[in-house]
Amino acid sequence: MPPRKSVLKLAGVDRQYGQGDTVLSILKGANFELRSGEIVALVAPSGTGKSTLLHVAGLLEHPDNGEVFINGRECGKLTDEQRTSIRRSDIGFVYQFHHLLPEFSALENVMMPQMIAGLAPKEAQERAAALLDYMRVGHRGDHRPAELSGGEQQRVAIARAVANAPLLLLADEPTGNLDPQTASYVFDALEALVRQSGLAAMIATHNHELAGRMDRRVTIENGKVVEF
């Protein structure tokens, strides 16, 4: 088996926030690496910097110090336009709330990022239908989000997140609003997708049972990323 390539690397990352005269240091020299085909659980209490870590890794926030590498490329000195381009092509996001567009069908929601990226509508529709089938919600493609169950909404959201074949998937509590059985079912679909496609995934979760099924578990302690 060829060595897995580095998809995400954080090197000495600091992230601080100012609150009045107070500076709150969230990440302090954080180091982390994620490779293709790997699923890593991020298990950390609220307030320790979990969302900040995901935002920095996803190029939604700039680190104050240190560097973020996506697929070996330094991203610290890139323009906002270049960072947006990388997010659009190489990074997929899944959140606790599905954030699907309510006025569009499940199929149209998965087509949207592909068409924004320049894919022809017919190709976008074919790929969206295939992804929904893979996530076992293809039969619900013409339904709007409000007509779907919570588990179905999240599976559509995952399909949308990977519609442009990203290298990296970042998920923030993707099963947090689901009952245990539905959460397990959604995670099964997500894991199969990662294994099949070879993308790298970091999934923030409070669900220790799901975390135990991933390749590694990390947490945040004193601003650093540490392995369990």
Side-chain angles (χ1 to χ4, degrees):
M1 176 184 284
R4 293 174 171 179
K5 69 177 181 178
S6 177
V7 173
L8 168 67
K9 184 176 180 180
L10 307 182
V13 166
D14 296 337
R15 186 70 178 108
Q16 303 168 340
Y17 299 101
Q19 290 186 339
D21 295 330
T22 306
V23 174
L24 196 61
S25 293
I26 304 297
L27 300 177
K28 308 173 193 173
N31 298 302
F32 176 71
E33 189 165 22
L34 182 63
R35 296 184 175 274
S36 58
E38 184 179 35
I39 308 179
V40 172
L42 174 58
V43 184
S46 297
T48 55
K50 179 166 51 75
S51 294
T52 297
L53 180 65
L54 290 172
H55 288 170
V56 170
L59 307 185
L60 293 168
E61 293 186 26
H62 288 270
D64 295 298
N65 291 298
E67 187 56 89
V68 179
F69 299 84
I70 302 292
N71 199 28
R73 183 181 183 185
E74 289 187 36
C75 297
K77 296 181 177 63
L78 299 180
T79 65
D80 286 342
E81 188 176 346
Q82 289 170 319
R83 290 163 67 88
T84 298
S85 177
I86 291 175
R87 283 199 304 271
R88 188 177 294 153
S89 62
D90 292 346
I91 305 173
F93 297 91
V94 182
Y95 300 98
Q96 182 172 355
F97 300 100
H98 57 79
H99 294 301
L100 298 171
L101 298 171
E103 66 271 32
F104 294 100
S105 70
L107 185 71
E108 290 166 338
N109 266 279
V110 182
M111 289 173 63
M112 203 75 65
Q114 301 176 75
M115 292 172 65
I116 291 171
L119 203 64
K122 186 174 186 299
E123 292 177 77
Q125 183 176 2
E126 289 172 356
R127 177 165 170 76
L131 280 168
L132 290 176
D133 282 342
Y134 190 88
M135 297 302 291
R136 299 182 183 178
V137 283
H139 62 295
R140 306 285 277 165
D142 60 348
H143 289 68
R144 293 185 179 185
E147 300 171 312
L148 304 175
S149 70
E152 288 171 338
Q153 290 168 345
Q154 280 301 71
R155 279 180 278 157
V156 173
I158 292 167
R160 181 184 58 182
V162 301
N164 285 335
L167 301 170
L168 173 64
L169 182 67
L170 300 172
D172 193 358
E173 296 287 349
T175 62
N177 287 330
L178 307 176
D179 65 79
Q181 185 174 355
T182 305
S184 180
Y185 191 73
V186 169
F187 180 77
D188 286 345
L190 177 58
E191 181 181 25
L193 189 66
V194 170
R195 304 301 186 201
Q196 189 77 20
S197 64
L199 62 79
M202 179 158 65
I203 301 174
T205 181
H206 283 109
N207 187 321
H208 288 273
E209 181 183 345
L210 292 185
R213 293 165 57 182
M214 301 189 211
D215 298 320
R216 289 189 287 140
R217 290 180 296 165
V218 299
T219 190
I220 301 172
E221 289 182 0
N222 301 318
K224 289 183 166 50
V225 181
V226 296
E227 298 242 1
F228 270 54

